[in-house]
Amino acid sequence: MHERPPAGRLSRRSILAGAAAGVVAPIAVSALAPPVASAAPRVAGVGGTTRQITIYAEALPNGEVAYGLNPGQATIPGPLLEIWEGDTLEIELVNTTDQRLSIHPHGVNYDVVSDGSPHNDSYNEPYETRTYIWRSQTAYQADGRWMPGSAGYWHYHDHALGTDHGTGGVTKGLYGGLIVRRAGDLLPDKQFTVVFNDMAINNRMVPDTPMFEARQGERVEFLCVGHGNNPHTFHLHAHRWADNRTGMLQGPDDPSHVVDNKNLDPGNSFGFQVIAGQEVGPGAWMYHCHVQFHADGGMAGLFLVRNPDGSMPPGAQEAIDRFNNHQHHPHTGAHG
Amino acid sequence: MHERPPAGRLSRRSILAGAAAGVVAPIAVSALAPPVASAAPRVAGVGGTTRQITIYAEALPNGEVAYGLNPGQATIPGPLLEIWEGDTLEIELVNTTDQRLSIHPHGVNYDVVSDGSPHNDSYNEPYETRTYIWRSQTAYQADGRWMPGSAGYWHYHDHALGTDHGTGGVTKGLYGGLIVRRAGDLLPDKQFTVVFNDMAINNRMVPDTPMFEARQGERVEFLCVGHGNNPHTFHLHAHRWADNRTGMLQGPDDPSHVVDNKNLDPGNSFGFQVIAGQEVGPGAWMYHCHVQFHADGGMAGLFLVRNPDGSMPPGAQEAIDRFNNHQHHPHTGAHG
Amino acid sequence: MHERPPAGRLSRRSILAGAAAGVVAPIAVSALAPPVASAAPRVAGVGGTTRQITIYAEALPNGEVAYGLNPGQATIPGPLLEIWEGDTLEIELVNTTDQRLSIHPHGVNYDVVSDGSPHNDSYNEPYETRTYIWRSQTAYQADGRWMPGSAGYWHYHDHALGTDHGTGGVTKGLYGGLIVRRAGDLLPDKQFTVVFNDMAINNRMVPDTPMFEARQGERVEFLCVGHGNNPHTFHLHAHRWADNRTGMLQGPDDPSHVVDNKNLDPGNSFGFQVIAGQEVGPGAWMYHCHVQFHADGGMAGLFLVRNPDGSMPPGAQEAIDRFNNHQHHPHTGAHG
């Protein structure tokens, strides 16, 4: 089960970003990776490579369980995995916990032995290491029609901890984002993974939800994933996207819906790119679930768009402070 | 805050409809505006104008709160606002109530000072007047890709009354529709705004839900908005639409889904045009939430398609009467 | 009401499949029709025919109520009805029960007398026979635009039993699938109807949910329908589809979302075709609601992809056994 072909490992984009002109190698980055220097537009390359990573499933001190690329570095969500359409990903999953668990992807191909489902006997026993193989494919023709490939904004999650559907694992934090790029897809400067999991975002509520940061003009990518038991809608202030595979239009006549609010129900995922602060300026912009009681209960966070030079725009710190206090300190002050 | 550039105000379509051949000026109409005489197809013009309106937020005698274009004329939903892509809308919001409140739009551009959110200090104190500026933009190119413009079926709502997410305001009726037209978009003869807000439609339940009326053959536009805390699905009998930006196809090969039932969850919005009674004839057609308990509980209304001459089709009045009585008088009569 | 034009009845595809080369006649098949021999790609023909069927609404011994094409053969879901875009379907509905009930379709055209709604006096009294006429239409031009036709993955259901919205009928099983093909649409080898109705699939829970079977390489069509009172998301393991009218792409540049998880809320429907086991191999693949508590509660089933010769792939029977026992026998055994 542990044979490893001699292929390159996934690496952090911050390491690889300077390695190519226009086309860069795939990456695995955490949701809060440091900024990448922006340059000429960079695009995804042609897939076909087999890539290997090791993921560690770890119990966290607070009772959560999470995936990480190195021991002691598990995060919620887990590492953002990114491949080119056509690539194969071999994941050595090291279970460091005393619970059975697995990793199950959306959007890619796998045999039953990599399904991650208990009924297919595809999971890690406590303290077991097991390899899962995910393959991706480009669109292909069958019966004279084009069948879809794997390119998309996807995700992965446990399918075995607690119940046969991984409800215990998903609840505790065993999930992450997966992006499969089509050759030529535009690469962003920043990437953020937003998981609506029951009444929390990335298992946190206000004021502990993530504050995503970018400079005005940077190309920012959001990957949104839904989990848990409740319906949600993701809303981002002052930015919008096309409701299609890339979030962009193919031209001014593309009939795609343009949205700034979209269902993010359990198992759903979508992604899009925006130019931070485009035509709206820098500032502390909110993203939140638009279900009113969910937002009021803490399903909200900030997308901080800094000035192009990285400095804080006027009033932004005050806005952040008000946001972080809003659950406990009803606003009473005067304003302009 | 109150400087006003010397640009034209929004006007009712009924006033402006005769002002141009083929291209008419933008409008703001109530959801129940009087019929407009149909003529040759009329299309949206090119944006770029700054338009000014005043909106009054008012407490209604029954405890609801609503927006209106003139004092004493607040309605639920508020006035339907319509601009051409590229236009700017300057809204002087007059808060006539003793509660803080705001106006927050979807789909358009605004600086943090027009965000309508308490954390950005962007709201009206009790009895305060404040100006919000919304800008719209056409699709534009960045990094060699087409980024979406503002054209779409959107909405606006309070974001400050009761909670920092405006839950009190939305619950009480502070919401309305917003349409941004792309140049060349086809204009309808009639427009209806349908807001699924918790267990009610436009804050009303059967038999008080709106009955929308048109003549057979008229081009009717529905703008559907979701609010509150519950998931919903909008269903219209005997009519359907393409699930894309306009609700129409770009040609017979357009791959868009065609639907007659669509999620209308909190913060979502979509719109479409149908030819009233096309191929199905006049009559009292139902629209309703397709969640069974919601429909049974009163989330239903009628779309009355009259004969082309405006007269009532046979049996329609009886159907209306049965519909309005259906909650309290179980049907027992014989029928054909 | 009962005049019947001299047109052909719907027939089972298994009967008609050999009747044409490339183009076959429409069909009505049950969700579990026997396998059809695969041949050269077969496509939908040109509509325009009036087709007649009789449907029997029957009370089942266990208290459920269902539609069937012959007396004593009612199934849940009811017969899968399939027509070509442009066809008319005349349905003689025989109510063999002591309750009022009706049949209401999505996606097609009907006059108020065929609405199936009590307020339009359109239903069957107990033991009454009544004819409902559904017409379909191709996309057509109006005001220089293309208005959508009827082609799509739709459904039909009761709208009168228990409440004016048919809540009693839908709950008890009065629903089925309806497919309207556009001329040239590709026909599948197998068809499965999956109805998420409250907390059950086709009114059944694990281990009684349907196991759909195909051979690796067969073109399989899923028609998914939502009903009841709860939001759901449909997820299929190891297969994906384009989120558009056909589930396939129009070419490698088609911007449609590709998904393997999609909202299936009350009244929603969608369909798609996959090549069974394509690039993932045969095996027992799960489909389920991705709402965790729904899946854990029994909203899951298997899509068994057999070997190309019809034999069972290694391990599949064990996987089926584990799946069927998973609610009652927590997995404790060792594994590979």
Side-chain angles (χ1 to χ4, degrees):
Chain A
M1 177 187 304
H2 295 163
E3 69 278 22
R4 312 284 302 270
R9 283 182 161 272
L10 285 188
S11 305
R12 288 182 176 274
R13 172 173 293 181
S14 54
I15 294 173
L16 293 178
V23 177
V24 302
I27 57 162
V29 296
S30 78
L32 294 171
V36 175
S38 187
R42 296 166 302 129
V43 299
V46 176
T49 304
T50 296
R51 301 176 186 283
Q52 298 173 324
I53 55 171
T54 300
I55 292 182
Y56 299 83
E58 301 184 327
L60 304 182
N62 64 357
E64 293 180 314
V65 186
Y67 298 113
L69 289 176
N70 291 291
Q73 296 184 3
T75 55
I76 299 175
L80 175 54
L81 305 179
E82 183 175 341
I83 59 175
W84 301 163
E85 203 178 46
D87 283 350
T88 292
L89 196 51
E90 293 188 6
I91 297 172
E92 184 182 59
L93 179 64
V94 181
N95 182 5
T96 72
T97 81
D98 61 0
Q99 303 282 315
R100 76 171 195 186
L101 53 76
S102 73
I103 189 164
H104 166 80
H106 285 235
V108 291
N109 297 333
Y110 44 84
D111 300 336
V112 286
V113 296
S114 291
D115 185 24
S117 294
H119 82 281
N120 273 324
D121 216 15
S122 170
Y123 61 88
N124 296 51
E125 293 284 5
Y127 305 112
E128 189 188 19
T129 292
R130 185 183 173 101
T131 297
Y132 298 79
I133 299 177
W134 304 345
R135 299 181 304 275
S136 63
Q137 66 182 121
T138 55
Y140 63 96
Q141 287 185 282
D143 301 325
R145 300 299 195 284
W146 282 92
M147 307 299 288
S150 301
Y153 291 95
W154 305 100
H155 60 111
Y156 61 86
H157 60 88
D158 171 61
H159 212 307
L161 198 163
T163 79
D164 284 357
H165 294 280
T167 300
V170 169
T171 302
K172 291 171 187 292
L174 279 172
Y175 54 75
L178 169 65
I179 299 176
V180 182
R181 306 266 185 208
R182 187 171 295 172
D185 278 354
L186 200 57
L187 300 179
D189 298 316
K190 296 273 177 63
Q191 294 176 291
F192 306 128
T193 304
V194 184
V195 182
F196 281 10
N197 189 16
D198 276 334
M199 307 305 282
I201 299 175
N202 298 1
N203 278 33
R204 296 292 178 271
M205 301 174 86
V206 171
D208 299 319
T209 49
M211 182 169 76
F212 302 119
E213 297 191 36
R215 299 179 183 198
Q216 188 180 10
E218 284 189 306
R219 178 172 287 274
V220 172
E221 183 170 75
F222 285 82
L223 168 55
C224 301
V225 180
H227 267 308
N229 298 292
N230 298 103
H232 300 290
T233 51
F234 174 86
H235 175 48
L236 176 60
H237 281 218
H239 300 77
R240 74 197 75 86
W241 63 95
D243 189 12
N244 58 23
R245 184 181 71 83
T246 64
M248 290 173 274
L249 299 176
Q250 294 199 304
D253 292 330
D254 186 326
S256 297
H257 273 292
V258 175
V259 299
D260 65 6
N261 196 88
K262 184 174 161 70
N263 273 69
L264 192 54
D265 292 339
N268 285 353
S269 60
F270 60 87
F272 59 88
Q273 295 177 2
V274 296
I275 309 296
Q278 170 77 21
E279 299 287 340
V280 299
W285 299 108
M286 211 172 356
Y287 67 90
H288 59 89
C289 181
H290 214 293
V291 175
Q292 295 289 146
F293 289 177
H294 295 187
D296 290 338
M299 289 193 74
L302 292 180
F303 171 34
L304 174 61
V305 179
R306 291 175 173 269
N307 292 323
D309 65 2
S311 62
M312 282 288 273
Q317 189 57 55
E318 293 81 351
I320 295 168
D321 293 342
R322 277 192 295 267
F323 179 83
N324 287 333
N325 292 329
H326 83 145
Q327 299 300 315
H328 315 105
H329 305 279
H331 187 102
T332 55
H335 75 289
Chain B
M1 177 186 305
H2 294 163
E3 70 279 20
R4 313 283 302 269
R9 284 183 160 271
L10 285 187
S11 304
R12 288 182 176 273
R13 172 173 293 180
S14 53
I15 293 172
L16 293 177
V23 177
V24 302
I27 57 163
V29 296
S30 77
L32 294 171
V36 174
S38 188
R42 297 165 302 130
V43 299
V46 176
T49 303
T50 296
R51 301 177 185 281
Q52 298 172 325
I53 55 171
T54 300
I55 293 183
Y56 299 83
E58 302 184 325
L60 304 182
N62 65 357
E64 294 181 312
V65 186
Y67 299 113
L69 289 176
N70 291 290
Q73 296 184 2
T75 55
I76 299 175
L80 175 54
L81 305 179
E82 183 175 341
I83 59 175
W84 300 164
E85 203 178 45
D87 284 348
T88 292
L89 197 52
E90 293 189 6
I91 297 173
E92 183 182 59
L93 178 65
V94 181
N95 181 4
T96 72
T97 82
D98 61 1
Q99 303 283 314
R100 77 172 195 186
L101 52 76
S102 73
I103 189 164
H104 167 79
H106 284 237
V108 291
N109 297 334
Y110 45 84
D111 301 334
V112 286
V113 296
S114 291
D115 186 25
S117 294
H119 82 280
N120 273 323
D121 215 15
S122 171
Y123 61 89
N124 296 51
E125 293 284 7
Y127 305 112
E128 189 188 18
T129 292
R130 185 183 173 100
T131 297
Y132 298 80
I133 299 177
W134 304 346
R135 298 181 304 275
S136 63
Q137 67 183 121
T138 55
Y140 64 97
Q141 287 185 282
D143 301 325
R145 300 301 195 285
W146 283 92
M147 307 299 288
S150 300
Y153 291 96
W154 306 100
H155 60 111
Y156 61 87
H157 60 88
D158 171 61
H159 212 306
L161 199 164
T163 80
D164 284 357
H165 294 280
T167 301
V170 169
T171 302
K172 292 172 187 292
L174 280 172
Y175 54 75
L178 168 65
I179 299 176
V180 182
R181 305 268 184 206
R182 186 170 296 170
D185 278 355
L186 200 58
L187 301 179
D189 299 314
K190 296 274 177 65
Q191 293 176 293
F192 306 127
T193 304
V194 183
V195 182
F196 281 10
N197 189 16
D198 276 335
M199 307 304 282
I201 299 175
N202 297 1
N203 278 33
R204 297 291 179 270
M205 301 174 86
V206 171
D208 299 318
T209 48
M211 182 170 75
F212 302 119
E213 298 191 35
R215 299 179 183 199
Q216 189 180 9
E218 284 188 307
R219 178 172 287 274
V220 172
E221 182 170 75
F222 286 83
L223 168 55
C224 302
V225 180
H227 267 307
N229 298 292
N230 298 103
H232 301 289
T233 50
F234 174 86
H235 175 48
L236 176 61
H237 281 218
H239 299 77
R240 73 197 75 85
W241 63 94
D243 190 11
N244 58 23
R245 185 183 69 83
T246 64
M248 290 174 274
L249 299 177
Q250 295 200 302
D253 292 331
D254 186 327
S256 298
H257 273 293
V258 175
V259 299
D260 64 6
N261 196 88
K262 183 174 163 70
N263 273 69
L264 192 54
D265 292 338
N268 286 352
S269 61
F270 61 86
F272 59 88
Q273 296 178 1
V274 297
I275 310 296
Q278 171 78 20
E279 299 288 340
V280 299
W285 299 108
M286 209 169 3
Y287 67 91
H288 60 89
C289 182
H290 213 294
V291 175
Q292 295 289 146
F293 289 177
H294 294 188
D296 290 339
M299 288 193 75
L302 292 180
F303 173 34
L304 174 61
V305 179
R306 291 175 173 270
N307 292 322
D309 66 2
S311 61
M312 283 287 274
Q317 188 57 56
E318 293 81 353
I320 295 168
D321 293 343
R322 277 191 294 267
F323 179 83
N324 287 333
N325 292 329
H326 84 146
Q327 300 300 315
H328 315 106
H329 304 280
H331 186 101
T332 55
H335 74 290
Chain C
M1 176 186 303
H2 294 161
E3 71 277 22
R4 313 284 299 271
R9 285 182 158 271
L10 286 187
S11 304
R12 289 183 174 275
R13 172 173 292 180
S14 54
I15 294 173
L16 293 178
V23 177
V24 303
I27 57 163
V29 296
S30 79
L32 294 171
V36 175
S38 188
R42 296 166 303 129
V43 298
V46 176
T49 304
T50 295
R51 300 177 185 284
Q52 298 173 325
I53 55 171
T54 299
I55 293 183
Y56 299 83
E58 301 184 326
L60 304 182
N62 65 356
E64 293 181 313
V65 186
Y67 298 114
L69 289 175
N70 291 291
Q73 296 183 3
T75 56
I76 299 176
L80 175 54
L81 305 179
E82 184 175 341
I83 58 175
W84 302 162
E85 203 178 44
D87 283 349
T88 292
L89 197 51
E90 293 189 6
I91 297 173
E92 183 181 59
L93 178 65
V94 181
N95 181 4
T96 71
T97 82
D98 61 1
Q99 303 282 315
R100 76 172 195 186
L101 52 75
S102 74
I103 189 165
H104 166 79
H106 284 237
V108 291
N109 296 334
Y110 45 84
D111 301 334
V112 286
V113 297
S114 291
D115 185 26
S117 294
H119 82 281
N120 273 324
D121 215 16
S122 171
Y123 60 88
N124 296 51
E125 294 283 6
Y127 305 112
E128 189 188 18
T129 293
R130 185 181 172 101
T131 297
Y132 298 79
I133 300 176
W134 303 347
R135 298 181 303 275
S136 63
Q137 67 182 120
T138 55
Y140 64 96
Q141 287 185 282
D143 301 325
R145 300 299 194 286
W146 282 92
M147 307 299 288
S150 300
Y153 290 95
W154 306 101
H155 60 111
Y156 61 86
H157 60 87
D158 171 60
H159 212 307
L161 198 163
T163 80
D164 284 357
H165 294 280
T167 301
V170 169
T171 302
K172 292 171 187 292
L174 280 172
Y175 54 75
L178 169 65
I179 299 176
V180 182
R181 306 268 184 205
R182 187 171 295 171
D185 278 354
L186 200 57
L187 301 179
D189 298 316
K190 296 273 178 63
Q191 294 175 293
F192 306 128
T193 304
V194 183
V195 183
F196 280 12
N197 189 16
D198 276 335
M199 307 304 283
I201 299 175
N202 297 2
N203 278 34
R204 296 292 179 270
M205 301 175 86
V206 171
D208 298 319
T209 48
M211 182 170 76
F212 302 119
E213 297 191 36
R215 299 180 183 198
Q216 188 180 10
E218 284 189 307
R219 177 171 288 273
V220 172
E221 183 170 74
F222 285 82
L223 168 55
C224 301
V225 180
H227 267 306
N229 298 292
N230 298 104
H232 301 290
T233 51
F234 173 87
H235 176 48
L236 176 62
H237 281 218
H239 299 77
R240 75 197 74 87
W241 63 95
D243 189 12
N244 59 22
R245 185 181 71 83
T246 64
M248 291 174 273
L249 299 176
Q250 295 200 303
D253 291 331
D254 187 326
S256 297
H257 273 293
V258 175
V259 298
D260 65 6
N261 196 89
K262 183 175 162 70
N263 273 69
L264 192 55
D265 292 339
N268 285 353
S269 60
F270 61 87
F272 59 88
Q273 296 178 1
V274 296
I275 309 297
Q278 171 78 19
E279 299 287 341
V280 298
W285 299 109
M286 210 172 359
Y287 67 90
H288 59 89
C289 181
H290 213 294
V291 175
Q292 295 288 149
F293 290 177
H294 294 188
D296 290 339
M299 288 193 75
L302 291 180
F303 172 35
L304 174 61
V305 179
R306 291 175 172 269
N307 292 322
D309 65 1
S311 62
M312 282 288 274
Q317 188 59 55
E318 292 81 352
I320 295 167
D321 293 343
R322 277 191 295 267
F323 179 83
N324 288 333
N325 292 329
H326 83 146
Q327 299 300 315
H328 314 106
H329 303 281
H331 186 102
T332 55
H335 74 288

PDB file of all heavy atoms in Angstrom, chain A residues 112-125:
ATOM      1  N   VAL A 112     -12.321   2.205  -5.601  1.00  0.00           N
ATOM      2  CA  VAL A 112     -13.034   1.977  -4.338  1.00  0.00           C
ATOM      3  C   VAL A 112     -12.085   1.922  -3.142  1.00  0.00           C
ATOM      4  O   VAL A 112     -12.459   2.319  -2.037  1.00  0.00           O
ATOM      5  CB  VAL A 112     -13.899   0.687  -4.381  1.00  0.00           C
ATOM      6  CG1 VAL A 112     -15.137   0.909  -5.239  1.00  0.00           C
ATOM      7  CG2 VAL A 112     -13.100  -0.500  -4.859  1.00  0.00           C
ATOM      8  N   VAL A 113     -10.849   1.498  -3.353  1.00  0.00           N
ATOM      9  CA  VAL A 113      -9.932   1.407  -2.213  1.00  0.00           C
ATOM     10  C   VAL A 113      -9.496   2.787  -1.719  1.00  0.00           C
ATOM     11  O   VAL A 113      -8.970   2.913  -0.621  1.00  0.00           O
ATOM     12  CB  VAL A 113      -8.670   0.570  -2.546  1.00  0.00           C
ATOM     13  CG1 VAL A 113      -9.072  -0.873  -2.848  1.00  0.00           C
ATOM     14  CG2 VAL A 113      -7.901   1.181  -3.700  1.00  0.00           C
ATOM     15  N   SER A 114      -9.716   3.830  -2.525  1.00  0.00           N
ATOM     16  CA  SER A 114      -9.402   5.193  -2.101  1.00  0.00           C
ATOM     17  C   SER A 114     -10.669   6.026  -1.869  1.00  0.00           C
ATOM     18  O   SER A 114     -10.623   7.249  -1.824  1.00  0.00           O
ATOM     19  CB  SER A 114      -8.523   5.887  -3.151  1.00  0.00           C
ATOM     20  OG  SER A 114      -7.229   5.313  -3.192  1.00  0.00           O
ATOM     21  N   ASP A 115     -11.796   5.346  -1.708  1.00  0.00           N
ATOM     22  CA  ASP A 115     -13.080   6.035  -1.564  1.00  0.00           C
ATOM     23  C   ASP A 115     -13.168   6.768  -0.223  1.00  0.00           C
ATOM     24  O   ASP A 115     -13.892   7.760  -0.085  1.00  0.00           O
ATOM     25  CB  ASP A 115     -14.196   4.974  -1.666  1.00  0.00           C
ATOM     26  CG  ASP A 115     -15.598   5.545  -1.661  1.00  0.00           C
ATOM     27  OD1 ASP A 115     -15.781   6.725  -2.026  1.00  0.00           O
ATOM     28  OD2 ASP A 115     -16.528   4.798  -1.304  1.00  0.00           O
ATOM     29  N   GLY A 116     -12.456   6.262   0.767  1.00  0.00           N
ATOM     30  CA  GLY A 116     -12.526   6.868   2.093  1.00  0.00           C
ATOM     31  C   GLY A 116     -13.758   6.482   2.889  1.00  0.00           C
ATOM     32  O   GLY A 116     -14.000   7.026   3.964  1.00  0.00           O
ATOM     33  N   SER A 117     -14.544   5.541   2.340  1.00  0.00           N
ATOM     34  CA  SER A 117     -15.809   5.160   2.977  1.00  0.00           C
ATOM     35  C   SER A 117     -15.690   3.823   3.687  1.00  0.00           C
ATOM     36  O   SER A 117     -15.139   2.870   3.129  1.00  0.00           O
ATOM     37  CB  SER A 117     -16.913   5.045   1.919  1.00  0.00           C
ATOM     38  OG  SER A 117     -17.185   6.293   1.358  1.00  0.00           O
ATOM     39  N   PRO A 118     -16.249   3.721   4.868  1.00  0.00           N
ATOM     40  CA  PRO A 118     -16.187   2.460   5.606  1.00  0.00           C
ATOM     41  C   PRO A 118     -16.776   1.267   4.853  1.00  0.00           C
ATOM     42  O   PRO A 118     -16.221   0.171   4.932  1.00  0.00           O
ATOM     43  CB  PRO A 118     -16.982   2.768   6.885  1.00  0.00           C
ATOM     44  CG  PRO A 118     -16.740   4.237   7.100  1.00  0.00           C
ATOM     45  CD  PRO A 118     -16.756   4.817   5.706  1.00  0.00           C
ATOM     46  N   HIS A 119     -17.877   1.467   4.109  1.00  0.00           N
ATOM     47  CA  HIS A 119     -18.461   0.289   3.451  1.00  0.00           C
ATOM     48  C   HIS A 119     -17.508  -0.265   2.388  1.00  0.00           C
ATOM     49  O   HIS A 119     -17.591  -1.450   2.058  1.00  0.00           O
ATOM     50  CB  HIS A 119     -19.843   0.600   2.858  1.00  0.00           C
ATOM     51  CG  HIS A 119     -19.806   1.267   1.525  1.00  0.00           C
ATOM     52  ND1 HIS A 119     -19.557   2.607   1.358  1.00  0.00           N
ATOM     53  CD2 HIS A 119     -19.970   0.761   0.273  1.00  0.00           C
ATOM     54  CE1 HIS A 119     -19.588   2.915   0.076  1.00  0.00           C
ATOM     55  NE2 HIS A 119     -19.822   1.828  -0.603  1.00  0.00           N
ATOM     56  N   ASN A 120     -16.600   0.578   1.888  1.00  0.00           N
ATOM     57  CA  ASN A 120     -15.575   0.069   0.969  1.00  0.00           C
ATOM     58  C   ASN A 120     -14.280  -0.254   1.712  1.00  0.00           C
ATOM     59  O   ASN A 120     -13.232  -0.439   1.079  1.00  0.00           O
ATOM     60  CB  ASN A 120     -15.317   1.075  -0.166  1.00  0.00           C
ATOM     61  CG  ASN A 120     -16.278   0.871  -1.321  1.00  0.00           C
ATOM     62  OD1 ASN A 120     -16.641  -0.259  -1.642  1.00  0.00           O
ATOM     63  ND2 ASN A 120     -16.718   1.970  -1.932  1.00  0.00           N
ATOM     64  N   ASP A 121     -14.377  -0.327   3.033  1.00  0.00           N
ATOM     65  CA  ASP A 121     -13.227  -0.702   3.848  1.00  0.00           C
ATOM     66  C   ASP A 121     -12.040   0.231   3.580  1.00  0.00           C
ATOM     67  O   ASP A 121     -10.883  -0.192   3.629  1.00  0.00           O
ATOM     68  CB  ASP A 121     -12.833  -2.162   3.535  1.00  0.00           C
ATOM     69  CG  ASP A 121     -12.336  -2.887   4.787  1.00  0.00           C
ATOM     70  OD1 ASP A 121     -12.559  -2.370   5.900  1.00  0.00           O
ATOM     71  OD2 ASP A 121     -11.727  -3.956   4.638  1.00  0.00           O
ATOM     72  N   SER A 122     -12.337   1.464   3.298  1.00  0.00           N
ATOM     73  CA  SER A 122     -11.329   2.419   2.858  1.00  0.00           C
ATOM     74  C   SER A 122     -11.156   3.511   3.906  1.00  0.00           C
ATOM     75  O   SER A 122     -11.755   4.588   3.811  1.00  0.00           O
ATOM     76  CB  SER A 122     -11.774   3.015   1.505  1.00  0.00           C
ATOM     77  OG  SER A 122     -10.960   4.094   1.132  1.00  0.00           O
ATOM     78  N   TYR A 123     -10.398   3.206   4.931  1.00  0.00           N
ATOM     79  CA  TYR A 123     -10.146   4.186   5.992  1.00  0.00           C
ATOM     80  C   TYR A 123      -8.931   3.749   6.793  1.00  0.00           C
ATOM     81  O   TYR A 123      -8.434   2.625   6.627  1.00  0.00           O
ATOM     82  CB  TYR A 123     -11.377   4.339   6.895  1.00  0.00           C
ATOM     83  CG  TYR A 123     -11.783   3.082   7.612  1.00  0.00           C
ATOM     84  CD1 TYR A 123     -11.246   2.748   8.859  1.00  0.00           C
ATOM     85  CD2 TYR A 123     -12.702   2.215   7.034  1.00  0.00           C
ATOM     86  CE1 TYR A 123     -11.615   1.593   9.513  1.00  0.00           C
ATOM     87  CE2 TYR A 123     -13.077   1.049   7.673  1.00  0.00           C
ATOM     88  CZ  TYR A 123     -12.532   0.734   8.916  1.00  0.00           C
ATOM     89  OH  TYR A 123     -12.893  -0.418   9.554  1.00  0.00           O
ATOM     90  N   ASN A 124      -8.442   4.609   7.625  1.00  0.00           N
ATOM     91  CA  ASN A 124      -7.305   4.308   8.489  1.00  0.00           C
ATOM     92  C   ASN A 124      -7.800   3.868   9.866  1.00  0.00           C
ATOM     93  O   ASN A 124      -8.556   4.610  10.518  1.00  0.00           O
ATOM     94  CB  ASN A 124      -6.443   5.561   8.730  1.00  0.00           C
ATOM     95  CG  ASN A 124      -5.788   6.096   7.486  1.00  0.00           C
ATOM     96  OD1 ASN A 124      -6.446   6.296   6.484  1.00  0.00           O
ATOM     97  ND2 ASN A 124      -4.482   6.345   7.566  1.00  0.00           N
ATOM     98  N   GLU A 125      -7.338   2.717  10.276  1.00  0.00           N
ATOM     99  CA  GLU A 125      -7.571   2.335  11.674  1.00  0.00           C
ATOM    100  C   GLU A 125      -6.789   3.299  12.576  1.00  0.00           C
ATOM    101  O   GLU A 125      -5.924   4.046  12.110  1.00  0.00           O
ATOM    102  CB  GLU A 125      -7.087   0.893  11.907  1.00  0.00           C
ATOM    103  CG  GLU A 125      -7.881  -0.162  11.176  1.00  0.00           C
ATOM    104  CD  GLU A 125      -9.231  -0.449  11.816  1.00  0.00           C
ATOM    105  OE1 GLU A 125      -9.617   0.241  12.788  1.00  0.00           O
ATOM    106  OE2 GLU A 125      -9.930  -1.353  11.313  1.00  0.00           O
TER     107      GLU A 125
END
